[in-house]
Amino acid sequence: MSYIDITDLTFSYTKQGPLVLENQQLSFQQATFNVLTGPSGSGKSTLLRLLCGLFPQYTGHLQKGQILIDGENIADMDISKRAQKIAMLFQVPAEQFAMPTPRQELIFTLENMRIAPEQMDQRITQAFDFTGISEFADREFSSLSGGEQQKVALAIILALDADTILLDEPFANVDPEARNFLLHRLKQLVSNRGKTVIIADHDLSDYQQLADYLYVMEPTQKQIHLATEAEMQQRFLSFEQNRHQQISISLPDQTDTAEFKLRDFSTGHQKVLLKQANFELMKHHLTVFTGPNGVGKSTLFNSLTKLQDYQGSLTWENNEIAKLKVKDYSRHVALVFQEPISQFLKVTVAEELELSLHNQYDHAWTKERVRDTLADLGLTGFDDHVVYMLSEGQKRKLQILLMLIMGVPTLLLDEPLTGLDLVSVHKIMQLLQQAVRNEDKTVIMISHQLTDVADYADYHISLHEKELSYEASL
């Protein structure tokens, strides 16, 4: 018998709703590195939540089937035993935190696991060193970037020391260098400590030399299949051939008009992250903003939207942002949050769409246009779905559509491509490009996902060593 065995598994979110998995047979071997891939919203996250016992305990309907871990039905395990067997890192790491800082979070986690106090310091130190987060172990989570929070979430999972580690898009907000570092760390857990790792990921780059098995989600069949060796290598090779390669991109010139101006500007949390003598962000363009995790990209966006204090001068249309009234300014400049659930105000998809249509500023979006765009994004038929029960990719697409419907002239998007497959990436980038070219919007987006993004971008800004610069390639 395999370490994890899935038999006849049939699952839906409601008793009469569409099936996500149907008659699924699957197994995972102990001490192996497994990758699960498939389109956005196809059921990858659902499978992981079934494996760790969150479904159907907290939501959904298991029509039939069972999951055995080390020969025992997961439905019969108590929570503490289940935590020893299997642990999960969620796609949105902030959902896992209960304490103010990473160190306090790990102490809280280990106390709940009834770990002896004399063992805690060693476990915490090992987890911090393994994930490279010692330098911000005592900073508040609110001051950490999305990528830094993902590293902390991984450290917590490691401290739990579970036999099986499930990771849902764990590198979505992580820069390439950190991604490569963490991937090889996970491989060490498999090789040196006999852990079983199962990662759901759209991005198959860097897995070719690491993965033992590849599992592919086929949404039309409601099934996941184990790829043959030939199929696995073909998929990895195809992804490597299509991975991002830098291409030339334009630089601003004298014909451009500045929308935001930085003069003797600095900002940060417990330390200065950005210090800029003179810089301008151009209007009516699609600008991509890059830089390693934790350098201050989101912090700058927060300053641009009055969520973060700053020193020096930061102006919008020659008006000092610190002096602008939030109510008036928010009609002109809006932040699309890194976590979609922070943007939602209603319960269902239909209610969210109706709210945005009712409050849009320029009435450029008709119900017919919304309907057509929903179909293009693969969101048709989700009107009655609770927004919080959508997949992360579906939440992301809905969030961006809602903000475009609102018609705010300038959108600052923080990692808008997280959790999206490449088809969905193109759909979203097309919508953003159309907003700039057809509706004279300004779009500035932070992204670690760069594959094919240069095809849509006008400009590229890099943040490195506390300074911004326009780059001639992306």
Side-chain angles (χ1 to χ4, degrees):
M1 179 180 291
S2 307
Y3 188 69
I4 299 176
D5 283 282
I6 300 172
T7 307
D8 299 327
L9 191 70
T10 301
F11 178 85
S12 59
Y13 278 97
T14 60
K15 195 168 186 179
Q16 303 301 325
L19 298 178
V20 181
L21 295 167
E22 183 174 12
N23 296 322
Q24 182 68 60
Q25 317 286 336
L26 210 60
S27 63
F28 297 91
Q29 303 297 320
Q30 192 168 16
T32 55
F33 193 109
N34 307 275
V35 180
L36 172 62
T37 193
S40 300
S42 60
K44 301 184 299 300
S45 298
T46 300
L47 175 66
L48 297 186
R49 283 164 169 74
L50 284 162
L51 287 174
C52 67
L54 291 175
F55 294 171
Q57 181 174 351
Y58 296 108
T59 192
H61 181 67
L62 184 62
Q63 298 191 13
K64 65 175 182 176
Q66 64 178 7
I67 299 174
L68 302 181
I69 297 182
D70 200 17
E72 186 174 352
N73 194 324
I74 192 169
D76 299 330
M77 292 183 187
D78 61 40
I79 292 176
S80 60
K81 184 173 184 179
R82 189 191 305 165
Q84 294 171 4
K85 294 288 185 181
I86 198 160
M88 180 170 172
L89 191 158
F90 294 103
Q91 194 166 346
V92 181
E95 293 178 354
Q96 296 180 241
F97 303 143
M99 304 300 286
T101 70
R103 190 182 305 279
Q104 290 172 303
E105 186 69 30
L106 259 75
I107 292 171
F108 176 74
T109 300
L110 295 176
E111 285 177 343
N112 278 279
M113 293 295 296
R114 300 178 182 178
I115 301 301
E118 61 270 17
Q119 297 177 20
M120 283 190 187
D121 285 346
Q122 183 180 3
R123 279 212 193 188
I124 291 171
T125 299
Q126 288 176 341
F128 284 167
D129 290 345
F130 196 85
T131 52
I133 65 170
S134 300
E135 63 180 292
F136 51 83
D138 297 302
R139 283 172 51 189
E140 292 192 359
F141 282 114
S142 60
S143 73
L144 300 183
S145 70
E148 289 171 333
Q149 290 185 14
Q150 281 183 307
K151 292 180 183 180
V152 175
L154 179 57
I156 293 166
I157 296 299
L158 296 178
L160 290 172
D161 199 29
D163 296 332
T164 298
I165 301 172
L166 310 177
L167 304 104
D168 193 0
E169 300 282 352
F171 312 116
N173 293 327
V174 175
D175 61 70
E177 183 178 349
R179 171 191 169 89
N180 188 59
F181 170 80
L182 293 174
L183 272 174
H184 283 83
R185 288 299 203 188
L186 289 168
K187 185 63 175 180
Q188 287 179 23
L189 291 176
V190 175
S191 304
N192 302 339
R193 295 175 58 183
K195 303 297 185 184
T196 302
V197 170
I198 304 173
I199 301 180
D201 205 342
H202 291 114
D203 185 349
L204 296 182
S205 58
D206 304 317
Y207 284 115
Q208 189 166 7
Q209 305 303 321
L210 302 175
D212 296 306
Y213 300 105
L214 176 69
Y215 294 82
V216 181
M217 184 76 204
E218 300 288 356
T220 57
Q221 301 174 23
K222 316 298 182 188
Q223 286 275 322
I224 298 165
H225 75 265
L226 173 61
T228 63
E229 182 68 24
E231 181 188 358
M232 182 169 70
Q233 295 307 318
Q234 188 276 327
R235 283 181 176 268
F236 287 149
L237 178 61
S238 175
F239 207 94
E240 289 297 326
Q241 290 172 339
N242 291 317
R243 73 184 299 175
H244 175 65
Q245 295 190 15
Q246 287 195 347
I247 63 173
S248 297
I249 193 168
S250 298
L251 295 171
D253 58 33
Q254 64 273 16
T255 65
D256 287 309
T257 302
E259 182 167 349
F260 300 97
K261 296 178 182 178
L262 291 71
R263 300 287 187 268
D264 297 321
F265 171 87
S266 64
T267 188
H269 293 280
Q270 296 177 346
K271 63 179 183 179
V272 173
L273 295 175
L274 175 58
K275 188 176 180 64
Q276 195 79 33
N278 190 4
F279 198 81
E280 297 179 346
L281 304 173
M282 304 307 172
K283 68 189 305 183
H284 303 327
H285 287 287
L286 197 165
T287 301
V288 176
F289 189 10
T290 67
N293 290 125
V295 295
K297 302 184 299 297
S298 297
T299 301
L300 174 60
F301 272 25
N302 287 340
S303 295
L304 290 169
T305 51
K306 296 181 67 66
L307 298 174
Q308 167 74 30
D309 292 335
Y310 61 86
Q311 291 74 47
S313 177
L314 177 62
T315 63
W316 167 79
E317 301 287 12
N318 296 317
N319 297 290
E320 192 65 42
I321 289 176
K323 297 180 180 179
L324 295 172
K325 293 182 178 180
V326 173
K327 183 177 180 180
D328 295 332
Y329 183 51
S330 63
R331 294 177 63 90
H332 301 280
V333 179
L335 176 62
V336 180
F337 297 121
Q338 193 169 120
E339 297 168 10
I341 58 173
S342 300
Q343 214 101 41
F344 298 144
L345 298 173
K346 295 293 186 177
V347 177
T348 68
V349 172
E351 289 171 339
E352 283 287 354
L353 290 167
E354 185 58 36
L355 181 66
S356 290
L357 281 167
H358 179 73
N359 291 289
Q360 64 178 315
Y361 298 132
D362 55 14
H363 302 286
W365 286 80
T366 63
K367 289 188 175 182
E368 290 73 23
R369 184 182 177 188
V370 171
R371 182 194 61 216
D372 293 343
T373 305
L374 287 170
D376 199 38
L377 294 175
L379 294 175
T380 298
F382 286 85
D383 286 13
D384 296 328
H385 280 57
V386 175
V387 291
Y388 305 101
M389 298 308 298
L390 299 173
S391 75
E392 291 304 318
Q394 290 166 334
K395 289 176 188 173
R396 182 76 58 190
K397 289 187 282 189
L398 176 63
Q399 174 199 23
I400 294 169
L401 175 58
L402 294 172
M403 295 303 291
L404 288 172
I405 291 171
M406 286 290 293
V408 179
T410 296
L411 287 180
L412 309 178
L413 299 101
D414 196 348
E415 298 287 358
L417 307 179
T418 298
L420 300 181
D421 56 62
L422 282 180
V423 173
S424 298
V425 166
H426 281 281
K427 298 290 186 184
I428 291 299
M429 292 306 299
Q430 287 168 5
L431 282 175
L432 296 176
Q433 187 182 64
Q434 288 168 10
V436 171
R437 293 185 177 177
N438 300 339
E439 301 168 33
D440 286 333
K441 306 296 186 189
T442 299
V443 171
I444 306 173
M445 55 176 279
I446 296 169
S447 186
H448 288 298
Q449 156 63 277
L450 299 178
T451 303
D452 298 335
V453 169
D455 295 337
Y456 302 93
D458 297 314
Y459 299 135
H460 171 206
I461 296 173
S462 173
L463 174 52
H464 181 67
E465 295 184 350
K466 300 182 182 181
E467 290 194 348
L468 300 167
S469 62
Y470 281 98
E471 304 294 335
S473 64
L474 177 59

